[in-house]
Amino acid sequence: MAGILAVWAGYGIYLYRQGKRLYEAMYTVSGAVIQELSLNSVSLTLLLKIQNKGDLSVEITGQQYDIFVNKIKVTSINNANKVKIHSNTCSVIPLQVKFNPQDLFKVGLDNLSFIIGDKSKIMVEIKGRLNFTAGAVRMKDFKLNESMTLAQIIEKSKSGSANTQPMKC
């Protein structure tokens, strides 16, 4: 009987550690693919890289993101598609972002400068929540908050770090 309790206790500790690793997952914007950048339309795919440092594969079961440009919310993304992130790898989740930059113009002329001006002054922020499962471990409303300038995102895209396939970290 003591042996069975020891096995269950060990399994519980293992699951706790895996849950902690999942909670401490690393994420970053690894780049973007710009489809259109004009005065009337911005369309791009942000590439969000997530590192799974755990021994268990993770399945993201729900994603909700708010995208901000210079602290102004430009769009929301709800993605119900399931995404599998294998253990000890990184995966990239593409986030399709479309908005009308004229909406930024209504709030202030400075916010439209990224179309014609310095992309290093344009801050892109992703605030989101993820739900995921990994074996018996389930997490709801995992908070995600990442921000970079548009210039940094474009530079990462040029450097080849915008790979969308599972990779070693």
Side-chain angles (χ1 to χ4, degrees):
M1 185 68 167
I4 293 173
L5 287 175
V7 167
W8 277 108
Y11 183 65
I13 291 169
Y14 173 77
L15 286 178
Y16 171 78
R17 287 183 179 159
Q18 292 307 307
K20 187 173 179 184
R21 285 183 177 172
L22 292 174
Y23 186 76
E24 295 170 348
M26 302 285 291
Y27 54 86
T28 186
V29 175
S30 65
V33 177
I34 298 173
Q35 289 87 23
E36 184 177 2
L37 194 60
S38 72
L39 289 173
N40 297 316
S41 178
V42 172
S43 177
L44 58 98
T45 304
L46 291 173
L47 302 171
L48 182 65
K49 183 170 89 171
I50 299 179
Q51 178 183 0
N52 177 4
K53 299 188 283 183
D55 295 334
L56 302 173
S57 291
V58 174
E59 185 172 63
I60 297 176
T61 57
Q63 307 169 57
Q64 297 174 325
Y65 304 97
D66 291 325
I67 310 297
F68 296 83
V69 174
N70 286 354
K71 300 188 183 211
I72 299 169
K73 184 176 173 181
V74 294
T75 192
S76 292
I77 301 168
N78 290 311
N79 187 354
N81 295 336
K82 293 182 179 181
V83 177
K84 185 100 169 182
I85 303 175
H86 297 284
S87 62
N88 297 303
T89 62
C90 292
S91 290
V92 174
I93 298 173
L95 303 176
Q96 185 62 43
V97 178
K98 291 182 182 183
F99 65 95
N100 183 344
Q102 298 296 326
D103 295 338
L104 296 175
F105 184 71
K106 292 173 190 172
V107 178
L109 186 59
D110 292 340
N111 292 310
L112 198 57
S113 65
F114 74 95
I115 297 293
I116 54 176
D118 187 358
K119 292 175 180 49
S120 67
K121 293 182 180 177
I122 304 307
M123 185 61 65
V124 177
E125 185 175 12
I126 302 169
K127 291 184 179 182
R129 294 186 316 274
L130 304 175
N131 298 329
F132 56 84
T133 61
V137 178
R138 295 193 188 327
M139 292 199 145
K140 291 192 113 183
D141 291 332
F142 175 80
K143 302 261 188 282
L144 181 140
N145 191 356
E146 179 72 11
S147 60
M148 299 178 81
T149 67
L150 186 58
Q152 290 171 315
I153 293 169
I154 292 170
E155 184 59 35
K156 281 188 169 202
S157 298
K158 290 178 184 175
S159 70
S161 62
N163 181 7
T164 60
Q165 300 301 314
M167 64 196 94
K168 288 289 179 191
C169 300

